[in-house]
Amino acid sequence: MLITHDTRCALDTVVDLVNSAPEDDTASEGLPDVAALEEFVRQHKVSEVGVLTELDLAAVRKIRGRFAAVFAAPDARAAAALINELIAAAGTTPRLTDHDGYDWHVHYFAPGASVADHLAADCGMALAFFVVAGERERLRRCEAPDCRHAFVDLSRNRSRRYCDSRTCGNRLHVAAYRARRKEAAG
């Protein structure tokens, strides 16, 4: 599957957005205030965003939950329905642009759109490409029992199981190794 630069950026953004949600009542909010949202926008180089407010923060948190539902969807039909709702509500307006040193690419948000609509349109379309390509199963949750972060499996053979093999994957492999050694020692 060919993934363009802007689609890859949108995928990274939506994964980080979904993973910013607290996983339970003891976890901290990844977007606790407007300053954190401004930093998120800056880090992900989200273009054409004006002054952010508490209303923007609430709207982004709302679509974050809707994106999380896409990663949890049981099948392509359910994921497509969720994505269709997101991009329709955002009022998508595809247009070509070549800003900030990037070659021509497509933005799906309307000029002057809120940051939530911007994210819903661009990130929603990035996820839509996976459904269209029959690759929805690449939108996954980490298999580590104590993690469950979202990720997009871009491995050649669709075999990635953990959001980060250096942390979640390694931790589970070490635990399995120690359990085998303990069992062998009897």
Side-chain angles (χ1 to χ4, degrees):
M1 177 174 186
L2 177 66
I3 300 173
T4 64
H5 171 78
D6 53 314
T7 299
R8 180 60 193 255
C9 290
L11 290 171
D12 292 343
T13 300
V14 72
V15 164
D16 288 348
L17 180 62
V18 169
N19 292 338
S20 73
E23 292 185 30
D24 56 41
D25 292 338
T26 63
S28 62
E29 168 63 62
L31 293 174
D33 53 31
V34 174
L37 178 58
E38 289 169 344
E39 179 61 17
F40 181 88
V41 165
R42 188 192 65 71
Q43 283 183 347
H44 291 89
K45 299 179 181 169
V46 180
S47 61
E48 300 180 38
V49 174
V51 176
L52 299 173
T53 67
E54 290 290 332
L55 292 175
D56 292 308
L57 180 62
V60 167
R61 286 179 179 165
K62 183 177 178 180
I63 64 156
R64 175 180 68 185
R66 298 181 80 195
F67 277 127
V70 172
F71 281 85
D75 57 35
R77 185 166 304 284
L82 292 164
I83 293 167
N84 282 339
E85 289 173 14
L86 274 162
I87 59 177
T92 54
T93 307
R95 63 191 166 93
L96 288 168
T97 183
D98 67 341
H99 63 88
D100 298 329
Y102 294 107
D103 205 359
W104 290 104
H105 59 282
V106 179
H107 278 190
Y108 297 96
F109 59 93
S114 70
V115 68
D117 284 347
H118 179 143
L119 294 171
D122 275 359
C123 296
M125 289 303 298
L127 296 177
F129 294 141
F130 278 79
V131 174
V132 168
E135 300 283 350
R136 198 229 26 111
E137 73 275 0
R138 289 181 181 271
L139 308 177
R140 298 193 175 158
R141 290 289 191 160
C142 183
E143 290 183 17
D146 60 338
C147 180
R148 305 303 296 154
H149 274 157
F151 69 94
V152 178
D153 178 6
L154 298 177
S155 67
R156 192 176 285 208
N157 62 357
R158 299 175 189 88
S159 63
R160 188 170 158 199
R161 297 173 47 209
Y162 306 109
C163 64
D164 187 342
S165 61
R166 292 171 297 201
T167 55
C168 291
N170 192 45
R171 187 174 64 247
L172 288 176
H173 288 103
V174 168
Y177 171 77
R178 288 180 179 159
R180 286 191 306 272
R181 294 223 20 200
K182 184 178 180 182
E183 186 177 305

